[in-house]
Amino acid sequence: MVKKETPRSLPENLTLELRRGVIILAVLSQLDEEQYGYSLMSKLTERGLEIDQGTLYPLLRRLESRELLESHWRVEESRPRRYYTISAKGAEVLPLLIEEWNQLTEVMKGLLQ
Amino acid sequence: MKANQDGRYLIDSYVEEVGSQLPLRQRGDIQTEIRSLLEDTLEDRLRETGGEADVEMVAVLLEEFGSPYKMAVQYAPDRYLVGPKLFSLFLLVLKIVLTVLIILGLIGLGIAASQAESFANGLRIVGRNMLEMVNGMLMTFAWIVIAFAILERVLPESEKDDQDWDPRKMERVPDQDKIKRVEVMIGMVFATIGVIIFNFFPQLVRGVSFSGGQVQTFQLLDANFLRFIPWLTTLWSLEILFSIVLLWRRVWEPATRWIRAGIDVLEMVFLAALIFGGPLFATSPEALAAWPSKNLVPLAETGLRIGLGIALVMDGVSLVEMLVKQLKKNALKVS
């Protein structure tokens, strides 16, 4: 559907868009050890990056469909949980993204000064 | 609704609502994942607060996850013809329109077949009408998809629905394990009537003809069909016993599901034996003379076999559904 932005939703949407790229990098950087959705969410929050739950969880699946993550179901405490970990392809891409991120933050600092 | 009642049913409703807006292929997996995430978060909060998972607590949690629509949009594939907002409406329209088409098609088929002059001619008419029906259904499906694809791209997206969404107002998802008492009772009544008529009043299962202003009855069913009566009686008796057990237990349990599956298999074998067995309607000169037209007998045979075939397919579908439900439950328990 065609999204109609209101004065109320505009800043929120722009912030979301701004964060979207950051979230991918943040998620890939934290998945060298396997995590399930909620544990990853808690880990990111603990380290100061608060992400909307409705954004993070679907993103994990999208990254998996792009073969940057791998996942498997495991049952713990009588509940099935999907565990995610970075894939070989994701591990290859991550350093490139980090390098890009470092360059970008330098550029942005200069622009915003 | 009391605020302190267990609010976990809201999770069921939420998961169901998100699922209804997702493509079937991904639905089950995404629903399991969302449920797992919600329960993890809820459990963590309960540990922190030491309280109960009441309606308010679960509702606040769901509000944080966002409306079912918002959640479905996040999970939906990037490119789609019909998006989450219209998907459930699309399925509803599709079901209604296709059902109407099938009913109209079958009525037309019946009328056309009844005017056939011979059995071969009847088969040709049935074949042609069936092809036309399938063709019509495919065309209709395509037009509905096109219409919804256009709506998807033209309609403005309103944020009002999302802002107005209140998890507290969601309705409970019907319990899949709870038996439908009325359905079970109706099935039991019909099985009982069947047993009584075929075993104690077989004279009622006769054809009726009017000749010379007099009503006459004739043997309608062939002796080949009548030899199946003991089998039919056994199956109906099993149905009756099973219905009584089900009404007593009130819910579907693994044992009752497996017994149901067993009875379904027996029914399917029985139906297949009828369909592929000998004649169903009596073809004695007396019986043939009683029909308005001799040509109607083979048509009635074919019609009855098609009806039995549909019953066989429906039994098969219900069997698969039941097995999938039970295997899913088993998988969750084991894992």
Side-chain angles (χ1 to χ4, degrees), chain B residues 90-296:
Chain B
F90 166 71
L91 282 185
L92 181 70
V93 170
L94 205 59
K95 278 180 196 166
I96 293 172
V97 174
L98 291 184
T99 307
V100 170
L101 273 183
I102 289 173
I103 293 170
L104 290 177
L106 288 176
I107 292 171
L109 193 69
I111 294 170
S114 67
Q115 290 164 353
E117 289 152 3
S118 66
F119 179 60
N121 181 237
L123 277 183
R124 263 198 302 276
I125 290 174
V126 169
R128 196 177 58 224
N129 274 267
M130 293 280 266
L131 274 177
E132 279 174 8
M133 201 163 88
V134 171
N135 190 32
M137 283 167 69
L138 285 174
M139 290 289 287
T140 311
F141 174 74
W143 279 114
I144 293 174
V145 171
I146 291 169
F148 272 84
I150 292 170
L151 282 177
E152 180 71 41
R153 278 144 190 84
V154 171
L155 284 179
E157 190 177 16
S158 159
E159 290 193 356
K160 191 173 173 296
D161 291 349
D162 260 14
Q163 285 161 14
D164 288 349
W165 177 72
D166 184 351
R168 297 160 195 84
K169 290 179 185 163
M170 286 194 299
E171 286 178 15
R172 281 177 194 272
V173 176
D175 186 354
Q176 295 286 315
D177 287 337
K178 204 170 172 184
I179 64 153
K180 292 171 181 161
R181 293 176 72 83
V182 177
E183 257 177 42
V184 175
M185 279 149 108
I186 290 173
M188 195 166 76
V189 167
F190 275 106
T192 311
I193 292 173
V195 170
I196 293 172
I197 288 181
F198 275 92
N199 288 281
F200 302 107
F201 304 100
Q203 69 274 18
L204 291 176
V205 197
R206 288 180 69 81
V208 179
S209 69
F210 304 92
S211 66
Q214 281 194 325
V215 179
Q216 289 181 330
T217 65
F218 63 95
Q219 187 181 341
L220 183 67
L221 297 170
D222 191 81
N224 171 65
F225 181 92
L226 296 177
R227 73 190 168 92
F228 283 106
I229 298 294
W231 292 99
L232 203 51
T233 306
T234 312
L235 270 177
W236 278 332
S237 306
L238 277 175
E239 279 284 357
I240 295 166
L241 282 175
F242 180 73
S243 301
I244 293 169
V245 172
L246 214 51
L247 289 170
W248 167 51
R249 302 300 294 170
R250 290 166 184 270
V251 287
W252 285 100
E253 293 161 312
T256 42
R257 280 216 166 96
W258 288 116
I259 296 171
R260 177 71 262 173
I263 297 175
D264 278 347
V265 170
L266 286 179
E267 274 177 11
M268 288 167 72
V269 171
F270 176 75
L271 287 168
L274 275 182
I275 294 167
F276 300 108
L280 302 171
F281 289 105
T283 48
S284 63
E286 178 213 7
L288 287 178
W291 285 80
S293 158
K294 280 182 187 174
N295 292 330
L296 278 178

Side-chain angles (χ1 to χ4, degrees), chain B residues 1-19:
Chain B
M1 181 187 298
K2 289 179 185 169
N4 61 356
Q5 82 177 86
D6 193 331
R8 283 187 176 86
Y9 77 91
L10 287 176
I11 292 182
D12 297 335
S13 309
Y14 184 83
V15 170
E16 200 62 29
E17 216 166 303
V18 175

Side-chain angles (χ1 to χ4, degrees), chain A residues 1-10 12-13 16 20 36-39 41-42 52-62 64-66 71 73-84, chain B residues 26 29-30 32-33 35-37 39-41 43-45 47-48 61 64-66 69-71 73-76 78 80 85-86 151-159 162-163 331-335:
Chain A
M1 281 195 175
V2 186
K3 184 92 181 167
K4 198 176 179 184
E5 285 177 323
T6 63
R8 182 180 157 174
S9 66
L10 188 57
E12 196 184 320
N13 291 343
L16 279 176
R20 200 161 287 151
Y36 57 93
Y38 186 68
S39 69
M41 177 84 168
S42 307
D52 181 25
Q53 321 212 44
T55 306
L56 176 64
Y57 302 140
L59 175 78
L60 291 171
R61 292 180 74 93
R62 284 203 294 276
E64 190 192 15
S65 69
R66 292 168 78 174
S71 79
W73 283 99
R74 196 192 302 158
V75 177
E76 288 175 345
E77 298 158 30
S78 71
R79 179 181 314 143
R81 281 183 176 137
R82 189 193 276 272
Y83 277 83
Y84 290 93
Chain B
Q26 304 167 312
D29 195 48
I30 293 175
T32 312
E33 186 165 14
R35 181 184 295 282
S36 152
L37 295 165
E39 286 175 351
D40 276 335
T41 318
E43 196 173 280
D44 196 49
R45 296 210 176 155
R47 245 197 313 270
E48 278 173 17
L61 171 65
E64 286 171 22
F65 268 67
Y69 166 61
K70 191 177 160 194
M71 184 56 93
V73 166
Q74 297 273 15
Y75 272 107
D78 293 336
Y80 41 72
K85 192 80 176 178
L86 292 176
L151 282 177
E152 180 71 41
R153 278 144 190 84
V154 171
L155 284 179
E157 190 177 16
S158 159
E159 290 193 356
D162 260 14
Q163 285 161 14
L332 283 177
K333 267 187 193 163
V334 172
S335 45

